[in-house]
Amino acid sequence: MIVLAIDTSTDAVSVAISNSKQLLASSHVLSDRRHAEQLAPIIKNVCKQADISMREIDVVGVDIGPGLFTGMRVGIASAKTIAQVLDVPIIGISSLDILARSVATTDRVVLATIDARRGELYWAMYRNDVGSSIEVKPPVVGKVSDCVADVIDRGQATLIVGNGALRHRASISESLEATGLSIEWANEQLAQPSAGVLAVIVAELALHEQWQTAAELQALYLRAPDAVINWQTRVNL
C-alpha cells in the first residue's frame, strides 16, 4: 500500500511517501507562507525520490489542523484533489495527534501544542504508554495560562512538544517551576508536525480501512479565521 502524506498546517511544507512497511522518501521545507507555490513541486520531487508514480498511490493522508488557516487550506484542497483524481480514499489526521505520535516512546503525559498566534495556543494531551497515542484531553484553543492550568490540573510528569509551547517556553517554564511537576521538553526538531510521522499513522489506519472520501473530509479549525474575527470586532465596535 502506497501512502502520500501531506502536511502544511504550520510554517513548513512537509510531504512523504511510504508503503505499509517503511518510509520511501520525504521532504520538509520552511515555506515562509508560500505553501501554494511549493507544495506541488515538492510532491513531484518526493515521488521521484521514491520512484513512485502518482498512479501508484493507494491512499492520501493530510494534516487537517489545527494550524495556520491558509496553509491548512492549501494542503487539504490539494489532498482532496489528488484523492478525487486518482479515485483513492483519504485520511485526515490532527496536527496535534501527529506531534504526540512523534514522541511515542515516552511514558509521560504528552502535551502537544501548535502556535495559534495572538498569544494563544492549540493544545491536546495524550498518553503513549498504552500503545499508540491515546487522547486524554481533546483539542482546544486558548491562552497560555489556560494551557498551563491544564498541565497543573493533570498533575503528572509531562513531555511538552510543538511550536506553540516553544514560542512561550520561558513563561510556561516559569509558571510550572513552583508546582514541582516533572516537565520535559521534546527536541526542537520535533516542533512541527512531520509528514513522515503522518504517513505512519495513515498506513496503520488504512490497513483497517479507516478512511474517508474527499467530500467527507473536514478541517479542524477550533476557531474562526483571523479575518472573520477582525471583521466581527469591527462590527461590534
Side-chain angles (χ1 to χ4, degrees):
M1 178 179 294
I2 302 298
V3 174
L4 170 65
I6 298 171
D7 196 310
T8 59
S9 67
T10 63
D11 288 326
V13 174
S14 185
V15 176
I17 294 279
S18 75
N19 57 28
S20 57
K21 297 180 180 179
Q22 63 182 342
L23 186 67
L24 301 178
S26 65
S27 179
H28 187 90
V29 179
L30 291 177
S31 71
D32 192 27
R33 300 200 180 192
R34 294 168 53 227
H35 299 72
E37 298 174 38
Q38 295 184 328
L39 181 56
I42 291 174
I43 291 174
K44 182 178 179 180
N45 289 337
V46 170
C47 287
K48 184 177 180 180
Q49 292 171 22
D51 194 23
I52 294 292
S53 73
M54 294 293 288
R55 295 187 302 274
E56 295 178 87
I57 293 169
D58 298 303
V59 60
V60 179
V62 63
D63 183 336
I64 58 171
L68 296 176
F69 290 103
T70 301
M72 287 165 55
R73 291 189 184 109
V74 168
I76 293 172
S78 297
K80 284 187 171 187
T81 299
I82 293 169
Q84 288 171 331
V85 169
L86 298 178
D87 192 24
V88 297
I90 192 169
I91 296 177
I93 303 295
S94 160
S95 55
L96 298 169
D97 289 356
I98 299 167
L99 286 172
R101 186 60 179 270
S102 71
V103 290
T105 57
T106 185
D107 60 358
R108 293 168 174 259
V109 171
V110 175
L111 172 68
T113 68
I114 292 287
D115 185 12
R117 307 294 171 89
R118 300 190 295 124
E120 294 185 332
L121 305 176
Y122 301 112
W123 75 90
M125 301 178 80
Y126 302 81
R127 292 304 303 253
N128 287 340
D129 57 354
V130 289
S132 59
S133 299
I134 301 297
E135 183 185 285
V136 296
K137 165 74 179 182
V140 293
V141 60
K143 298 177 181 178
V144 176
S145 58
D146 296 328
C147 179
V148 170
D150 271 352
V151 174
I152 294 173
D153 288 345
R154 190 80 191 175
Q156 295 175 288
T158 303
L159 173 62
I160 302 175
V161 63
N163 65 3
L166 281 177
R167 183 170 185 175
H168 303 278
R169 181 167 180 167
S171 62
I172 291 174
S173 296
E174 182 179 354
S175 298
L176 292 174
E177 187 175 3
T179 67
L181 292 174
S182 176
I183 302 299
E184 181 181 341
W185 292 81
N187 191 306
E188 291 190 15
Q189 293 181 345
L190 304 177
Q192 295 168 320
S194 160
V197 177
L198 170 60
V200 172
I201 300 172
V202 169
E204 292 174 352
L205 294 176
L207 289 174
H208 295 90
E209 299 186 358
Q210 296 181 28
W211 49 48
Q212 301 167 284
T213 65
E216 293 170 333
L217 188 75
Q218 299 293 325
L220 178 62
Y221 287 120
L222 295 185
R223 77 176 185 203
D226 288 344
V228 174
I229 293 172
N230 292 337
W231 175 252
Q232 290 174 342
T233 301
R234 290 175 60 190
V235 169
N236 292 331
L237 288 178

